[in-house]
Amino acid sequence: MNIRTTALAAVRGLGLALLAMVGSLVLFILMVVSISLTPVVIGVVLVPLVARLARSHANLRRRLAYRWFGVEIKEPYRPKPHFQGGLIGALERYRWVMMDRATWRDLLWMICDATAGFTLAIFAFSLPFYGPYGWVLALGVWRPIVHSGGNEWYTFVPISDQATATIAGLVGFVYAGLGLWLTPKTMHLHSRLTAALLAPTHERELELRVARLTETRSDALDSQAAELRRIERDLHDGAQARLVAMGMSLGAIEHLLERDPKKAKVLLSEARESSSKALTELRDLVRGIHPPVLAERGLGDAVRALAMASPLQTEVSAEIPGRIEAPVESAAYFAVSEILTNAAKHSGARRVWLDLRHENGMLRIVITDDGQGGAAMSHGTGISGIERRIGTFDGVLALNSPVGGPTMVTMELPCELSSPQP
């Protein structure tokens, strides 16, 4: 039992109770009235407008459920299509809203929130303060109430003199204890009720998953095509050009070998240098496709190698008791590599902490730097591109980067360990 936690839960309970009355109840009434006006056409225009307000209100409650109670509730709404103008567009909007099951679930949630949700929230707010009210009565506040003709009761105790006021004060200790114990639990129950009514149904979850996989599949194909183009360009501009130059040099050496051995020796030296550079470029290219250390030693050691090559002071903590599936391992490696590169280029950081662990079928990577912060998904395509790439494997990315720093990037990828770490 924690007084601060209880006080915070009580204040949040008051806020949710007000939102239930001002938002859920009013919007429920407006929605029902709008739908009932459909036969006289007015409802065709009103329903989409009220539904948009209701969805904004529901999304606010989803965000509060996550921020206040850590309960994540996904949006279940169907994507908004393109509508025509005029009366046909109004009919299309009306049909889009009414055919979406999430609209009806929002309607059910609003009435439940205005009744059961409000009751839980106001109970969570009132209970911690009811105990101290008994103490206030015991300290003498009962006198002006009784002397002015008031008929005060404290639960089942009628307050008429100091003795009954003292009993009320003692009962207040019971309420104070109950408030400390029950208030946080009540608010947790409130958040579970909200999640049960606002979360997507199983069918909608599957639809959202298919849509996400379709989107990430497209991103993966684009990324793969871009990578093939890069490899082709690097081969054409680098190693291939050097090998062609070597062939020409060897041809010239063949002709000069007897006529001008001194010049042939110079060309031979240049050809040897070109072969060395071509070999280095080919190694770099292979490293960019699939680093040998990743293939041989696994993700933990590969990330340690990245840390050693980074210009930032980087500490790595890795607890991966086996080998991860190769595609996930590769995606995680290049995601870490890109984030480290971004940190070195843009964050102004001096130190980076990397934590990798595999728990409960999930690879979790946390990268924290002491830079100036201010990174955002909307700034360029770096972080958002990483998010899309790991989304191919059902991975998720969270970014926390307040202005002034620090920046923390958390990635989670579901995967199983295929073999013990060598």
Side-chain angles (χ1 to χ4, degrees), residues 37-324:
L37 291 175
T38 298
V40 291
V41 184
I42 298 174
V44 175
V45 179
L46 283 180
V47 167
L49 295 176
V50 178
R52 188 167 64 182
L53 292 174
R55 291 183 178 190
S56 298
H57 177 58
N59 284 334
L60 170 64
R61 296 296 297 276
R62 289 186 179 95
R63 291 194 293 273
L64 289 179
Y66 180 71
R67 290 178 186 172
W68 288 358
F69 310 109
V71 178
E72 185 176 6
I73 309 173
K74 295 179 182 175
E75 288 187 31
Y77 309 116
R78 291 181 175 174
K80 185 178 179 181
H82 175 72
F83 298 115
Q84 301 181 46
L87 182 59
I88 295 178
L91 288 170
E92 288 175 343
R93 287 188 185 85
Y94 177 81
R95 185 175 181 277
W96 172 64
V97 168
M98 297 299 283
M99 294 297 288
D100 192 343
R101 292 183 182 177
T103 301
W104 301 99
R105 284 176 59 82
D106 281 356
L107 200 61
L108 174 64
W109 165 73
M110 284 187 288
I111 189 60
C112 290
D113 187 53
T115 52
F118 173 80
T119 304
L120 286 173
I122 206 68
F123 176 77
F125 169 70
S126 305
L127 190 58
F129 298 100
Y130 197 54
Y133 179 60
W135 305 340
V136 170
L137 288 175
L139 290 174
V141 174
W142 66 273
R143 286 193 177 89
I145 297 174
V146 172
H147 292 165
S148 61
N151 185 18
E152 183 67 14
W153 283 70
Y154 188 77
T155 315
F156 52 85
V157 180
I159 309 299
S160 57
D161 51 27
Q162 184 58 52
T164 52
T166 302
I167 293 173
L170 294 174
V171 174
F173 282 102
V174 177
Y175 280 114
L178 283 174
L180 285 172
W181 180 55
L182 270 181
T183 298
K185 295 181 183 298
T186 304
M187 291 314 301
H188 182 70
L189 177 62
H190 187 284
S191 67
R192 301 310 306 179
L193 174 68
T194 304
L197 295 170
L198 282 183
T201 60
H202 179 64
E203 180 184 344
R204 185 61 188 144
E205 280 270 16
L206 290 177
E207 290 177 1
L208 290 171
R209 180 175 168 76
V210 169
R212 177 174 170 76
L213 288 176
T214 302
E215 181 184 352
T216 54
R217 177 176 172 274
S218 175
D219 289 336
L221 290 175
D222 291 344
S223 177
Q224 186 182 34
E227 187 66 9
L228 285 174
R229 287 195 296 273
R230 182 188 69 80
I231 293 170
E232 184 182 4
R233 186 177 61 250
D234 289 351
L235 281 173
H236 182 270
D237 297 343
Q240 182 180 341
R242 292 190 186 284
L243 290 173
V244 170
M246 275 178 56
M248 294 174 66
S249 296
L250 289 173
I253 291 168
E254 188 178 7
H255 290 291
L256 292 172
L257 199 58
E258 293 183 356
R259 289 189 292 112
D260 191 350
K262 189 175 179 181
K263 190 169 182 180
K265 190 176 179 181
V266 172
L267 288 176
L268 194 61
S269 175
E270 290 176 0
R272 188 174 62 247
E273 187 178 345
S274 291
S275 72
S276 175
K277 288 181 178 176
L279 184 62
T280 302
E281 288 173 356
L282 284 172
R283 283 175 176 163
D284 290 343
L285 190 62
V286 170
R287 226 175 264 123
I289 298 170
H290 195 76
V293 66
L294 179 63
E296 295 168 5
R297 302 293 304 168
L299 183 62
D301 286 344
V303 169
R304 288 189 183 92
L306 275 179
M308 291 174 67
S310 172
L312 305 176
Q313 187 177 346
T314 306
E315 297 179 20
V316 179
S317 170
E319 292 184 18
I320 306 175
R323 287 301 297 265
I324 299 169

